[in-house]
Amino acid sequence: MTDAATEQLLEITLRVNGVRRTASAPARRLLSDFLRHDLGLTGTHVGCEHGVCGACTVLLDGEPARACLVFAVTAQAHEVTTVEGIGHDPANLSPVQQAFAECHALQCGFCTPGFITTITAYLDENPQPTPEEAREAISGNLCRCTGYQNIVKAVVRASEIVREREEETR
Amino acid sequence: MTTRQVGEPVQRREDPRLLTGNGRYLDDLGLGALQAAFVRSPHAHARVVDIDITDAWELDGVEAIYTWEDLDGRVGEPLPVLIPHPALTHPRTGYCLAKSEVNHVGEAVVMVVARDRYVAEDACGRIHVTYETLKPVVGLENARAATRLVHDDAPGNVAANLLQEVGDVDSAMAAAPNTLTLELEIERSACMPMEGKGVYARWDADDASLRIYSSTQTSTGVRAAVAAKLEMPLAKVEVVTPDVGGGFGVKIMHPWPEEVLVPWAARRLGRDVKWTEDRREHFVSSAHERGQLQEVTVGFDDDGRLLALDVRFWHDNGAYTPYGIIVPIITATQLLGPYKPGAYRVEFWSLYTNTVLVTPYRGAGRPQGCYAMERTMDAIAAHLGLDRTEVRSRNFIQPDEMPYDQGLMFQDGRPLKYDSGDFPASLAKLKDLVGWDDFAAYREQAAREGRRVGLGIGCYVEGTGVGPYEGGHVQVETSGRVNVATGLTTQGQGHQTVLAQIVADQLGVRLEDVHVTTGDTRRMAYAVGTFASRGAVMSGNAVALAAKVVRDKALRIAADALEVSADDLEIVDGVISVKGAPGTSIDLKTIAVMSNPLRYAFDTAAQAATQFAGTFDPDKPPVADDDEPGLEGQDFYSPTQATFANGMHAAVVETDPVTAEIRILRYCVIHDCGVMVNPMIVEGQVHGGVAQGVGGALYERMVYDEGGQLLNASFMDFLVPYASEVPHVETDHLETPSPLNPLGLKGAGEAGTIPVTAVIASAVEDAEGFPIRSMPISPAELWELRRQHSSVPVALEGAS
Ligand code: FES
Ligand code: FES
């Protein structure tokens, strides 16, 4: 038997979507795989595994990060938000999710979780983006279906929904 | 009155699920399944001499390692030629695992099944394959020269040679006052869905059955192929297509070797086995498209009217031809677009190269055909000094000439006969939208600002909705829920919404009550697949027919119950009532209860249908001879020929005078796909299509070196456009309904992509003033062209 036969498993604990989650995985396990296959949070998708497409984007302590470029162990004790943490109930969509549905900003939906996490974080920083700023904000994520036009629209619409909801609860 | 759903931009029913991480794509399934990985050939052409797996076996967690030697029965035979054609004289296919020779980098040689993918890949790294390398054939020039062969027994590297001719081209050409010859080139690209391929198989030993999940565009095709390969009864194989993260053609090819091997291994091991393709695997082992060399000779009169068109082209089909010659046939026939060519002759050679195989990619051969024709139109206009739209319009088939038979055989073996369309109207709309007639002024204005701009145009006709058939099944539950099933799959086109809209209208129920299942052989065993923009045309009409079966049955039962004539009844929002007398009504769900005579009352609704409830005629059987229990029905739609959608695009580009960077300033689309079921979804299809077209026109290419290595097999190096590269698309629509089907539909899936390469070439040519004959075009290539076409040396950098 070789080294790999005795690959050491580490107990990894993360705060995922506000909940403490622990699982054992080897040191080389990618955060994307850890979330998907060890914790069963399959909302985070993997499109390239080399950091280019953005499908695997999660929020790491609130900042967008590519889960395929992070080892799960290095996220130990950090706070991870996946698309499930932004909204997991189809009947109760977050503003960004709602805007995507309204604007037809998704087709196959595979790239979508990465856009949702990215845009959710972006709107915290810039709550009222122009269409040009919106385009800029999403230009690190690949989508092969939509041609981006409706995603740009959805970013702007999401900022309106945030305000509409604030007004409703006021 | 029920709101009519067809024609409304209703929000998609699939979205809430997909938006919240509740989608189920292939890799989301099968937690705990064993994982497969493959040793793939590092050589483009080589003989496999020896495979040593000893080291790999030592790894903990490795469950199985298979080479070709292990493949039993038909699994060890070559993969099928899916679409044979008489002109495909030398079809060649690979094996699930390479037998003795590999013909492209990435061909699977060894399969490893392990506890997880990490371990499976570790094992792959420890497998030593000895190859005897052979000189590869890379690129069309080399394939055509045929100094070396890909397959020893395919002379000249020719897989197929096909010629079609309408009229007498030689004499028409000889008589033409003007002739031009164009040499054209278009490079390889690829579908690149964000989700790669994947297969997950479960063997049920007790039942001796297989359930396969595959990220495919055809579940019935995979089912039949796997059953044949594994020599199993069809009834013991089920294929379910879960959510699919994009296909664009690459997932219509089947069975991929992995689609055979994963189920085979699952049966052999008695364990769940899964394989998820990674991005590099997708680049080197899934299909590409587009690569062609073309030679067009055209004869025309002094007004620019076509008299003779003679086209020859060479198509790169890669290492194998499992999907036949569909792509070059489409190029050959769809090249004609909206025009009357005069006499037309087209001949193509489909050639082998030691590169990944070529199967349809969104547009499937049409972008190349459109490029050839539209480059030709522009060349005629330039030759005669005529406006480019004028030349086009002089060659248009007129609306009163529809249906128009081009006299050729299309990809489905049926006549290339356009069903409807109004090309002059489309062109007028396009000129309006882009401001064609005002462009000269804009160009001058731009020139005064030191900017160089160009305007381009491209027109196409697209055969959509090809047969042979699709089916629909509609069932009303006693709760009022309407279940609809069709066998074709979906990969993001919103079929669950579009088909629900159609059924809601046809049956007279609320959209919320309709639930559509696609691509599940358990629900609809007869189906073809999702490709060639056929989803809405084929399954849309099939579910409409099935809904009509159900509606007729419901009205018949209701007519009996209400003691009125069925003709006097209507169904609105799931309630059947007498027209004009809304007081007399009965719920559709109640009819569902009544349609099924019951012995057992399992709930209160069911009580109404048991043998001691209500009145009945004791002299008649509970289910009449010509009837069946249940409120459900099935029907199939099978058209005589394809529908033909069409469209026209125009773009304004700006080329940087110094860096030769190309920017698309405006992109305009006129689109006619007949009746639009959901205009919002149609728009989305156009946007996405244009984005892929822009990729093909400016960025995407498969860079093979002489040795057959794909140098850009990652998203770092193969440039899929981001939001920063894709223009805002301005659209307008024309609806010329298809007379071929009851709903008047034509397909819309590929339209956006088809003319983009032609349009951008046209626009760059217009900006620069010299011909563009090779696409895609990069700034470096444009800069080089400027150098060649300029007597004065071009500025190297910021000439100030
Ligand atoms: S999967 Fe992480 S960026 Fe593509
Ligand atoms: S919606 Fe399919 S990749 Fe973006």
Side-chain angles (χ1 to χ4, degrees):
Chain A
M1 287 283 137
T2 57
D3 317 342
T6 54
E7 190 169 32
Q8 202 195 336
L9 294 183
L10 307 166
E11 185 135 299
I12 302 171
T13 302
L14 315 174
R15 259 235 327 245
V16 184
N17 302 329
V19 179
R20 224 180 137 85
R21 300 289 304 269
T22 301
S24 302
R28 60 174 170 166
R29 177 77 101 221
L30 301 176
L31 178 59
S32 49
D33 286 340
F34 186 77
L35 291 169
R36 292 176 48 75
H37 303 306
D38 296 302
L39 302 185
L41 291 166
T42 54
T44 300
H45 295 160
V46 173
C48 70
E49 261 183 312
H50 50 258
V52 182
C53 75
C56 66
T57 307
V58 297
L59 304 183
L60 203 53
D61 299 328
E63 292 292 320
R66 312 227 144 169
C68 74
L69 296 184
V70 177
F71 289 120
V73 269
T74 63
Q76 166 94 9
H78 288 275
E79 174 143 356
V80 176
T81 308
T82 68
V83 68
E84 289 95 337
I86 287 168
H88 195 41
D89 177 2
N92 190 10
L93 301 177
S94 81
V96 178
Q97 291 167 332
Q98 174 72 33
F100 265 59
E102 287 180 18
C103 300
H104 186 35
L106 69 157
Q107 290 183 25
C108 76
F110 196 81
C111 69
T112 309
F115 277 94
I116 301 281
T117 47
T118 304
I119 295 165
T120 302
Y122 175 73
L123 288 177
D124 281 346
E125 256 172 51
N126 183 0
Q128 284 196 51
T130 64
E132 293 70 35
E133 289 168 339
R135 199 171 266 276
E136 177 74 32
I138 60 162
S139 65
N141 288 53
L142 287 178
C143 172
R144 195 58 164 161
C145 297
T146 61
Y148 305 107
Q149 192 157 330
N150 289 343
I151 302 181
V152 172
K153 210 158 113 188
V155 177
V156 177
R157 175 67 190 129
S159 72
E160 287 169 16
I161 296 174
V162 172
R163 270 171 283 138
E164 285 167 16
R165 289 194 187 175
E166 275 167 10
E167 257 156 48
E168 272 166 33
T169 53
R170 205 167 283 158
Chain B
M1 195 61 212
T2 316
T3 328
R4 210 178 132 74
Q5 298 294 338
V6 169
E8 290 299 311
V10 297
Q11 279 181 36
R12 301 205 317 171
R13 293 167 58 68
E14 37 278 84
D15 288 355
R17 208 167 49 77
L18 300 180
L19 282 163
T20 47
N22 287 291
R24 284 294 170 268
Y25 301 85
L26 196 278
D27 189 54
D28 303 348
L29 311 173
L31 199 67
L34 296 176
Q35 305 274 336
F38 293 86
V39 176
R40 297 182 183 276
S41 170
H43 303 295
H45 200 186
R47 275 190 242 293
V48 181
V49 177
D50 181 59
I51 301 173
D52 181 359
I53 58 171
T54 350
D55 272 4
W57 260 127
E58 288 179 14
L59 272 185
D60 187 24
V62 171
E63 300 280 332
I65 302 177
Y66 302 117
T67 67
W68 180 82
E69 304 273 339
D70 301 301
L71 306 179
D72 46 17
R74 293 193 194 149
V75 179
E77 294 173 5
L79 288 156
V81 179
L82 272 184
I83 309 183
H85 188 285
L88 180 60
T89 49
H90 293 78
R92 297 292 175 269
T93 55
Y95 294 82
C96 289
L97 294 171
K99 186 180 176 190
S100 51
E101 190 176 313
V102 286
N103 280 300
H104 66 83
V105 170
E107 194 164 356
V109 182
V110 187
M111 179 191 197
V112 175
V113 182
R115 183 184 58 219
D116 72 21
R117 176 67 182 243
Y118 290 61
V119 175
E121 287 188 21
D122 286 347
C124 287
R126 290 163 164 248
I127 290 170
H128 308 287
V129 185
T130 313
Y131 297 94
E132 178 194 329
T133 56
L134 303 168
K135 285 226 161 203
V137 178
V138 181
L140 275 166
E141 300 280 9
N142 288 324
R144 194 160 64 170
T147 45
R148 286 193 294 277
L149 296 180
V150 175
H151 303 286
D152 292 340
D153 51 355
N157 290 316
V158 178
N161 169 227
L162 183 65
L163 183 141
Q164 296 200 63
E165 181 164 2
V166 191
D168 181 350
V169 170
D170 289 332
S171 37
M173 194 72 79
N178 309 285
T179 58
L180 282 172
T181 296
L182 284 74
E183 307 259 345
L184 299 162
E185 193 179 345
I186 192 161
E187 280 205 41
R188 271 194 181 212
S189 185
C191 301
M192 286 298 141
M194 294 308 299
E195 181 207 33
K197 308 199 307 286
V199 198
Y200 163 47
R202 313 174 59 161
W203 170 252
D204 182 335
D206 296 339
D207 190 47
S209 68
L210 258 178
R211 167 141 0 127
I212 302 164
Y213 297 83
S214 183
S215 184
T216 181
Q217 290 176 227
T218 172
S219 41
T220 50
V222 171
R223 180 193 193 204
V226 171
K229 275 283 176 195
L230 269 52
E231 297 171 80
M232 287 179 64
L234 195 61
K236 291 289 186 183
V237 181
E238 296 168 345
V239 175
V240 181
T241 306
D243 291 319
V244 173
F248 315 116
V250 66
K251 296 175 184 173
I252 192 60
M253 222 321 277
H254 69 281
W256 286 102
E258 300 87 357
E259 281 175 325
V260 176
L261 291 170
V262 168
W264 173 80
R267 181 176 67 176
R268 200 156 152 146
L269 297 168
R271 302 272 305 271
D272 290 6
V273 180
K274 181 166 107 176
W275 167 74
T276 307
E277 187 178 56
D278 70 23
R279 189 51 59 184
R280 182 174 160 78
E281 284 185 292
H282 188 80
F283 270 99
V284 300
S285 68
S286 292
H288 303 164
E289 215 231 85
R290 304 285 197 253
Q292 283 181 3
L293 293 175
Q294 307 169 331
E295 192 186 287
V296 181
T297 302
V298 63
F300 49 99
D301 68 15
D302 294 334
D303 294 330
R305 277 191 195 83
L306 300 177
L307 300 172
L309 186 64
D310 192 4
V311 177
R312 306 198 303 160
F313 69 92
W314 293 264
H315 173 79
D316 180 353
N317 60 227
Y320 302 111
T321 49
Y323 209 73
I325 49 173
I326 290 293
V327 174
I329 291 179
I330 296 178
T331 302
T333 49
Q334 298 265 266
L335 186 147
L336 294 176
Y339 312 113
K340 292 181 274 191
Y344 177 51
R345 178 167 60 211
V346 61
E347 181 170 18
F348 69 75
W349 292 263
S350 196
L351 301 178
Y352 287 112
T353 54
N354 288 110
T355 53
V356 175
L357 59 93
V358 165
T359 65
Y361 163 29
R362 198 175 199 169
R366 296 179 188 89
Q368 299 95 310
C370 179
Y371 170 69
M373 191 72 228
E374 294 299 295
R375 296 284 65 225
T376 304
M377 283 292 164
D378 283 355
I380 295 171
H383 184 81
L384 298 175
L386 289 171
D387 181 274
R388 289 168 290 166
T389 58
E390 191 52 44
V391 172
R392 284 169 171 83
S393 78
R394 286 177 190 169
N395 288 290
F396 278 157
I397 294 158
Q398 297 301 310
D400 60 6
E401 294 175 285
M402 295 288 180
Y404 188 84
D405 194 339
Q406 289 279 22
L408 297 165
M409 189 199 274
F410 191 42
Q411 59 139 320
D412 52 357
R414 289 167 179 267
L416 185 80
K417 191 161 98 185
Y418 299 169
D419 47 343
S420 64
D422 187 341
F423 308 136
S426 288
L427 182 64
K429 270 179 181 269
L430 182 69
K431 287 179 73 170
D432 231 30
L433 184 62
V434 75
W436 186 271
D437 294 330
D438 304 331
F439 188 74
Y442 174 72
R443 187 204 305 272
E444 274 166 35
Q445 169 68 29
R448 280 198 291 278
E449 295 161 10
R451 295 165 51 222
R452 198 181 289 190
V453 294
L455 173 62
I457 181 173
C459 311
Y460 68 92
V461 167
E462 179 196 4
T464 58
V466 296
Y469 72 87
E470 282 305 332
H473 184 270
V474 174
Q475 174 204 39
V476 183
E477 287 188 14
T478 55
S479 62
R481 176 186 165 107
V482 180
N483 300 312
V484 179
T486 187
L488 65 56
T489 57
T490 190
Q491 60 255 13
Q493 306 96 322
H495 291 154
Q496 279 148 17
T497 305
V498 169
L499 301 178
Q501 287 178 265
I502 292 171
V503 169
D505 278 2
Q506 297 287 319
L507 194 53
V509 294
R510 297 178 317 159
L511 188 69
E512 307 87 273
D513 292 331
V514 187
H515 301 266
V516 177
T517 302
T518 55
D520 185 336
T521 65
R522 297 170 301 181
R523 295 288 310 281
M524 173 60 75
Y526 292 97
V528 183
T530 304
F531 59 94
S533 302
R534 68 193 293 280
V537 181
M538 300 303 300
S539 281
N541 280 290
V543 298
L545 292 171
K548 182 164 186 316
V549 173
V550 173
R551 182 188 162 85
D552 289 349
K553 178 165 187 177
L555 293 182
R556 171 167 56 80
I557 299 170
D560 271 0
L562 299 171
E563 298 181 330
V564 294
S565 154
D567 295 341
D568 295 334
L569 293 174
E570 63 180 357
I571 314 181
V572 176
D573 285 344
V575 179
I576 305 178
S577 51
V578 179
K579 286 178 206 159
T584 322
S585 69
I586 189 164
D587 286 350
L588 191 62
K589 62 183 178 189
T590 310
I591 301 294
V593 174
M594 293 164 67
S595 70
N596 184 17
L598 293 171
R599 185 170 177 83
Y600 308 113
F602 36 76
D603 64 14
T604 44
Q607 281 174 17
T610 54
Q611 56 269 49
F612 298 105
T615 56
F616 59 91
D617 183 343
D619 294 331
K620 285 192 189 151
V623 179
D625 287 349
D626 58 352
D627 205 358
E628 289 173 357
L631 187 51
E632 62 184 293
Q634 174 168 300
D635 209 342
F636 291 86
Y637 173 66
S638 179
T640 51
Q641 61 152 89
T643 49
F644 287 85
N646 69 84
M648 299 178 189
H649 295 194
V652 177
V653 302
E654 176 165 355
T655 58
D656 188 291
V658 178
T659 63
E661 195 186 333
I662 301 161
R663 270 205 312 143
I664 303 172
L665 302 182
R666 287 186 68 202
Y667 203 95
C668 299
V669 174
I670 302 297
H671 181 259
D672 180 359
C673 63
V675 172
M676 291 190 279
V677 178
N678 186 326
M680 180 188 82
I681 289 178
V682 171
E683 284 274 327
Q685 289 296 314
V686 172
H687 295 170
V690 170
Q692 282 185 314
V694 167
L698 294 176
Y699 308 106
E700 297 166 6
R701 62 185 83 215
M702 291 294 171
V703 185
Y704 278 101
D705 71 7
E706 288 161 18
Q709 295 293 337
L710 185 58
L711 300 181
N712 62 341
S714 83
F715 279 160
M716 296 279 214
D717 307 300
F718 175 86
L719 305 177
V720 174
Y722 285 102
S724 38
E725 282 77 49
V726 176
H728 179 89
V729 180
E730 303 163 56
T731 50
D732 194 359
H733 296 267
L734 198 73
E735 289 188 81
T736 54
S738 173
L740 295 173
N741 62 71
L743 299 176
L745 309 181
K746 300 177 175 186
E750 297 160 283
T753 306
I754 295 168
V756 185
T757 292
V759 172
I760 300 300
S762 176
V764 173
E765 181 171 293
D766 188 47
E768 298 289 324
F770 49 75
I772 303 295
R773 296 285 183 260
S774 177
M775 291 292 279
I777 186 160
S778 66
E781 285 155 343
L782 179 57
W783 192 89
E784 176 58 26
L785 283 175
R786 279 182 186 167
R787 201 184 58 77
Q788 286 169 19
H789 286 278
S790 158
S791 41
V792 221
V794 278
L796 266 176
E797 39 207 276
S800 50

